[in-house]
Amino acid sequence: GDESIGVVAVQLELIMLTTLRKIATTFLLLVLICNGEGGFKTTLTQNGLNYLTSVGMKVLEQQLEGLVIPELKGVVDTPIGKIDWNLQDLALRGFSITQSALQVVPGVGLKAVIVNLNAEMTLNWHYRKVHWPHISDHGSADIRLEGANTVVEVYVSAVNGRPNFRVVGDTVHIDKLHIKLHGGASWLYNIFIDIFSKEIRNAVDNALQKAIPNAIDLGLNKALSTLPVVVRINDHIELNYLFTQNPVFGGNYLSVASKGEFFETAAPSECPANICPQTSSPDVVTGQMMQFILTDYVPNTILYVLNQMHRLQVTIAANQVPSWFPLKFNTYDWRDVIPALYQKWPNQTMQVKLECSVPPHATFHPSGPVVFAMGNLQLDIVQSNNLVPAFVLGGNASVSASVKLSGQDLYVQIGYLDALFHIETSQIGIFNTDPLNKYINMLFSQGLVPIANIFLQEPIRLPTVKGVTFNNPSLGWGNDYLYISTDITYQPSQDEMSIPMRID
């Protein structure tokens, strides 16, 4: 009887760890973009831990129902002599957990606590006396396990940029074990119960010392080793989210950090610190289960990459001027705006080239984000398919952005603020740039910004795993960071609800 419960405890531990592996993997997939010396941070609060634990325990109860446990056997001295004994057909049913918790251990990792494991179990027992006369007997048993407690401490760290789990302590305590034997000689029952209890408890201790670390090393760490640390955005750009430091364990939250930096696939190079400065952000913003925190380091890395790839420049030829623009790209139309230009090149076709002189810089504020860009506007005269420089203006432009959250999708749109340009070099002398700035602002606000917003219509889906739904998500801004706070529900798939019901 007691022995059977010991075997149950081993099996419960193994399956509990399998379930915790699924919970942890789910969490890390949900979180894999976040904090520290990188640009992303994801925090799971105690509310989130409590919810994932409740889901995990329901999964665990279903997994254990009908569990078959391997045969147990041994040889032992008894008042009737030395006997061979074995327990067969061990099956678990009616499993329930009345109390459980997944706790943060500051500076260490996670502690899984399961209190009041209750279950029923059946088995068949048999013994045979080793020496003559070889008497033997057999029967069955019904067992009730009550108030079993399990505590597992797991150290979580970053190894080569990937998450790593290692068990640093585990304990199991069985509070009450009720055994009812059937068949055989009833006067031997107390002897058998005493024998089985001692043997099985030793077996449980030895099994757990091996099973728990193996379950972590071969289960969770093997699964996490397959997680990608680089995501390809397109054929030319990729996002790196290697872990930059060990997870942060606060008193009631767990925060995971990753790099969050964009690179050019063909020629990856680190964004210089003066262009992409690291900024800090809080670990916890609200009391909701999960928070994604994105610093302005991330958009600055993509702006750096785009500038390095010469994607932040545009050339507008005369035949590309939109119909709504009041002036054609001919010096005649610009005679009142820049008289000297018409005087030097009358009735000549023009071409304009806009490009950033340095990567644009994004800054997040409580009121929202602002992107500031410095660049040049070069106007050329087209003569016999040759370009003749007329002047170069230097200046700056700024745009705002709005970010909306719908379910698990982010929608981004930019809004134009203003631009101001001045003369850098000129082949027509000094001229008043105020009238020209008016048309530059019109071109930006009514042309370039709306075109950019067309490309931004596709939403950006937040990384989650199948079965996870956001509930009551909210979005907000702080100094240098954007946060998304949400509660979640998780519906495990059938594959996650079922694991092999036997461990040999």
Side-chain angles (χ1 to χ4, degrees), residues 330-344:
N330 184 288
T331 57
Y332 178 80
D333 279 38
W334 292 78
R335 64 190 185 280
D336 294 329
V337 180
I338 315 174
L341 181 67
Y342 177 72
Q343 292 170 4
K344 185 165 186 176

Side-chain angles (χ1 to χ4, degrees), residues 65 74 82 89 107 111 120 135 153 176 185 215 250 263 268 298 307 338 358 367 399 404 422 433 451 483 485 490:
E65 190 64 30
K82 183 174 291 187
D89 304 325
K111 178 190 290 185
E120 296 177 354
I135 59 174
E153 280 197 18
K176 296 179 182 179
F263 291 95
V298 178
N307 192 68
I338 315 174
V358 294
S367 58
V399 298
K404 295 181 179 179
H422 57 271
T433 59
I451 290 173
Y483 74 85
S485 176
Y490 174 54

Side-chain angles (χ1 to χ4, degrees), residues 272-463:
N274 63 317
I275 297 176
C276 302
Q278 296 282 355
T279 54
S280 61
S281 62
D283 289 336
V284 180
V285 182
T286 74
Q288 287 186 283
M289 295 178 183
M290 181 169 289
Q291 288 131 59
F292 298 85
I293 302 172
L294 165 69
T295 71
D296 46 25
Y297 171 82
V298 178
N300 284 323
T301 66
I302 185 64
L303 291 171
Y304 170 76
V305 169
L306 292 173
N307 192 68
Q308 291 292 103
M309 297 172 64
H310 306 291
R311 297 296 180 88
L312 300 180
Q313 61 183 38
V314 60
T315 299
I316 307 174
N319 61 357
Q320 296 173 320
V321 177
S323 59
W324 52 262
F325 196 71
L327 302 177
K328 305 300 181 185
F329 273 20
N330 184 288
T331 57
Y332 178 80
D333 279 38
W334 292 78
R335 64 190 185 280
D336 294 329
V337 180
I338 315 174
L341 181 67
Y342 177 72
Q343 292 170 4
K344 185 165 186 176
W345 291 290
N347 298 315
Q348 296 292 304
T349 301
M350 300 162 27
Q351 177 176 293
V352 169
K353 180 180 180 180
L354 286 162
E355 62 181 348
C356 290
S357 54
V358 294
H361 184 75
T363 307
F364 292 168
H365 305 278
S367 58
V370 173
V371 179
F372 182 83
M374 297 178 62
N376 298 320
L377 183 154
Q378 178 176 323
L379 189 145
D380 297 322
I381 303 299
V382 181
Q383 291 184 336
S384 303
N385 296 323
N386 293 320
L387 298 179
V388 179
F391 58 81
V392 175
L393 303 182
N396 56 70
S398 58
V399 298
S400 62
S402 63
V403 180
K404 295 181 179 179
L405 181 66
S406 177
Q408 294 164 227
D409 293 328
L410 283 178
Y411 292 86
V412 181
Q413 292 282 275
I414 62 173
Y416 182 66
L417 295 179
D418 57 36
L420 183 64
F421 283 80
H422 57 271
I423 297 173
E424 291 282 350
T425 62
S426 174
Q427 306 303 315
I428 57 174
I430 303 301
F431 59 91
N432 183 7
T433 59
D434 290 343
L436 181 56
N437 273 309
K438 169 187 172 183
Y439 290 104
I440 292 174
N441 277 279
M442 182 185 298
L443 185 64
F444 280 7
S445 63
Q446 299 182 35
L448 297 181
V449 168
I451 290 173
N453 282 331
I454 291 175
F455 289 99
L456 291 172
Q457 287 179 349
E458 283 296 317
I460 303 169
R461 171 146 290 227
L462 292 172

